[in-house]
Amino acid sequence: MTVDSPEAQPDTQVALPQQSLSTAAARKLASTTKSAPQMQEITSRWLLRMLPWVETKGGAYRVNRRLSYTVGDGRIDFVQDGASVRVIPRELGELALLRGYDDVEVLSAIADRCVQRDFSAGEVLVQRDTPSDRIHLIAHGRIGQTSVGPYGDELNVAVLADGSHFGENALLDEDARYDYTATAETSGTLLTLSRADFAAIMATAPSLQEHIARFTSLPRQAQNRHGEAEIAMSAGHVGEAVLPGAFVDYELNPREYELSVAQTVLKVHTRVADLYNGPMNQTEEQLRLTIEALRERQEYELVNNREFGLLHNADFKQRIQTHSGPPTPDDMDELLCRRRGTKLFLAHPRTIAAIGREFNARGLYPDHVDLGGQSVPAWRGVPILPCNKIPISKEQTSSIIAMRTGEGNQGVIGLRQTGLPEEYEPGLSVRFMGISEQAIMSYLVTTYYSAAVLVPDALGVMENVQIARRRD
């Protein structure tokens, strides 16, 4: 006798009739346990928590400073047309000797005399102790400057990148020489302007001659190392010496920061607010999530806004480049030492991971400090806080922000105005706008804010930080 395999036997299982209430039906009579509405956009927002907020009546904050002789160590912008690169004529005003000069025709003539030079990685662009007869404007790429120390060893002087320049003194000084060697670390493009071309244009432009004459007559000895007007004083004297008179001069046109605004209109149907308010208030939940989104946008603007954002308001002298790409302990020290009393670092979470990799590769481990009951990584006792609003470029580079905070410390401060009509939170108001013919209630949600850098060295940025992992 043969026995059929189990696969060959017919299914003889009989479905039994339902003997109890199903869970699907039971839930119709049950009150579920539910969470409040969740939101993925919410971040730690350390910047908003760490900035000291200063009351700003009248919607503007004026930063009064001592008079400074600005020399225009700014960045220069270029335009690209295929493989051809040109300097924007007005951007030449970022050079010290052309600061404040606004004759567009002459600036255009100078821009036309700039000669493009493409370079490759490892190419020596200028050699130390050779005559300097031209200025170099970096349109793209990284260039390292090295010199020789007192013991004959090679020293890294600086790393320059897009928008920087070197050799500016060559345009006016016939005896100028390079005191460093400039070597290309990456391929790129620069524009050069020779002393002869600059002199030829100046010979035909009386307005430029007058401007250069004023520039060379500036009282360079009557200022301190920060460019501020010097306060005359005497020290170490004996007897009845005649003491110099002094006063502290101020800037005549101080910068004013106006409060920016972020707004939205929250709409809630009256039927939802009337019938579906238990166990949670629908209007309150809608408002809570809307305010969270506004606060996220507020932090984004404080970092990226071109008028008052931290990345765009850092002084050019406070911007540094990494020496090798990734953020090494040496790079962090250089960023830290450029100001007194650095309160915090801000970096994208991926940048913080890159910092950890570089430290671990050298056998170093960042400290941790307690910040509001939360343990956060730190370097030299300064907390490194995450901020995902700091952008990451397509080349996988980002920036690290370092700042001193507080009005009393001449640092970075947040600006807001409290006491607004129908204020819901400090500096944020919720105003009822009425009910439409479609029975929809509208609420205007508004927050006013800005940020101010009281002195230039309060804020520093390390740029072009490589965060991608290198291949072994």
Side-chain angles (χ1 to χ4, degrees), residues 397-457:
T397 61
S398 187
S399 300
I400 300 175
I401 299 173
M403 70 177 80
R404 179 178 66 248
T405 60
E407 200 171 23
N409 289 329
Q410 301 183 101
V412 181
I413 58 174
L415 306 177
R416 71 182 180 191
Q417 182 174 323
T418 59
L420 301 172
E422 301 180 52
E423 190 170 58
Y424 190 85
E425 293 180 357
L428 184 145
S429 66
V430 180
R431 310 181 76 171
F432 180 63
M433 299 174 61
I435 303 176
S436 71
E437 295 180 354
Q438 290 78 30
I440 296 177
M441 298 184 296
S442 298
Y443 296 87
L444 176 64
V445 187
T446 305
T447 181
Y448 298 98
Y449 56 89
S450 187
V453 183
L454 299 187
V455 294
D457 74 346

Side-chain angles (χ1 to χ4, degrees), residues 253-264:
N253 298 298
R255 178 175 178 180
E256 290 190 355
Y257 293 85
E258 294 187 1
L259 293 183
S260 184
V261 62
Q263 291 179 307
T264 188

Side-chain angles (χ1 to χ4, degrees), residues 204-395:
T204 61
S207 62
L208 181 58
Q209 297 174 20
E210 295 175 3
H211 176 84
I212 295 300
R214 288 195 301 270
F215 170 77
T216 54
S217 64
L218 283 176
R220 300 180 188 277
Q221 301 301 319
Q223 53 184 297
N224 60 25
R225 63 188 180 91
H226 299 290
E228 297 173 331
E230 191 72 65
I231 299 176
M233 63 184 65
S234 178
H237 54 274
V238 295
E240 299 178 353
V242 177
L243 300 180
F247 67 96
V248 181
D249 207 354
Y250 301 135
E251 288 185 357
L252 297 180
N253 298 298
R255 178 175 178 180
E256 290 190 355
Y257 293 85
E258 294 187 1
L259 293 183
S260 184
V261 62
Q263 291 179 307
T264 188
V265 176
L266 172 63
K267 297 185 176 183
V268 181
H269 202 288
T270 53
R271 181 171 53 187
V272 172
D274 292 343
L275 303 180
Y276 302 99
N277 259 359
M280 299 177 188
N281 187 305
Q282 293 282 4
T283 303
E284 289 293 330
E285 292 300 323
Q286 289 280 303
L287 186 58
R288 177 179 65 85
L289 298 179
T290 301
I291 291 174
E292 293 284 1
L294 274 179
R295 293 302 191 195
E296 293 291 331
R297 182 55 183 263
Q298 177 182 354
E299 186 175 62
Y300 174 87
E301 293 292 321
L302 289 174
V303 173
N304 297 285
N305 188 282
R306 297 192 65 86
E307 294 296 325
F308 57 86
L310 300 181
L311 289 179
H312 296 281
N313 279 265
D315 189 83
F316 292 116
K317 292 181 180 178
Q318 297 296 324
R319 299 173 186 263
I320 66 172
Q321 305 289 326
T322 61
H323 283 82
S324 59
T328 65
D330 291 341
D331 294 324
M332 296 294 289
D333 280 340
E334 184 173 353
L335 181 61
L336 182 65
C337 74
R338 286 178 173 255
R339 72 203 46 78
R340 59 176 173 83
T342 302
K343 184 72 173 180
L344 59 97
F345 294 107
L346 277 179
H348 193 281
R350 290 182 58 190
T351 306
I352 296 178
I355 293 174
R357 283 198 304 270
E358 293 302 313
F359 283 25
N360 294 343
R362 292 162 173 78
L364 300 174
Y365 300 93
D367 301 328
H368 281 75
V369 297
D370 182 83
L371 209 58
Q374 183 173 348
S375 180
V376 296
W379 178 244
R380 308 291 190 192
V382 179
I384 306 173
L385 304 178
C387 179
N388 68 343
K389 313 304 187 303
I390 299 176
I392 296 177
S393 71
K394 61 181 180 180
E395 292 84 11

Side-chain angles (χ1 to χ4, degrees), residues 22-36:
S22 69
T23 56
R27 289 185 60 186
K28 302 297 183 182
L29 301 180
S31 295
T32 60
T33 302
K34 59 183 70 67
S35 72

Side-chain angles (χ1 to χ4, degrees), residues 35-110:
S35 72
Q38 307 298 300
M39 183 176 180
Q40 295 186 70
E41 187 182 6
I42 299 174
T43 64
S44 55
R45 297 199 292 266
W46 278 107
L47 177 58
L48 299 188
R49 294 159 60 181
M50 297 297 292
L51 273 183
W53 292 95
V54 174
E55 184 69 18
T56 308
K57 295 299 183 182
Y61 185 93
R62 180 181 299 156
V63 179
N64 290 310
R65 294 176 179 169
R66 285 178 57 184
L67 176 64
S68 298
Y69 298 106
T70 306
V71 294
D73 291 330
R75 297 254 175 120
I76 299 174
D77 291 333
F78 303 81
V79 291
Q80 184 175 3
D81 184 9
S84 177
V85 176
R86 294 180 295 109
V87 62
I88 301 174
R90 286 190 179 274
E91 288 295 312
L92 291 172
E94 295 296 337
L95 300 176
L97 74 167
L98 294 177
R99 184 78 170 190
Y101 184 70
D102 56 2
D103 190 326
V104 179
E105 184 176 348
V106 177
L107 291 176
S108 299
I110 296 174

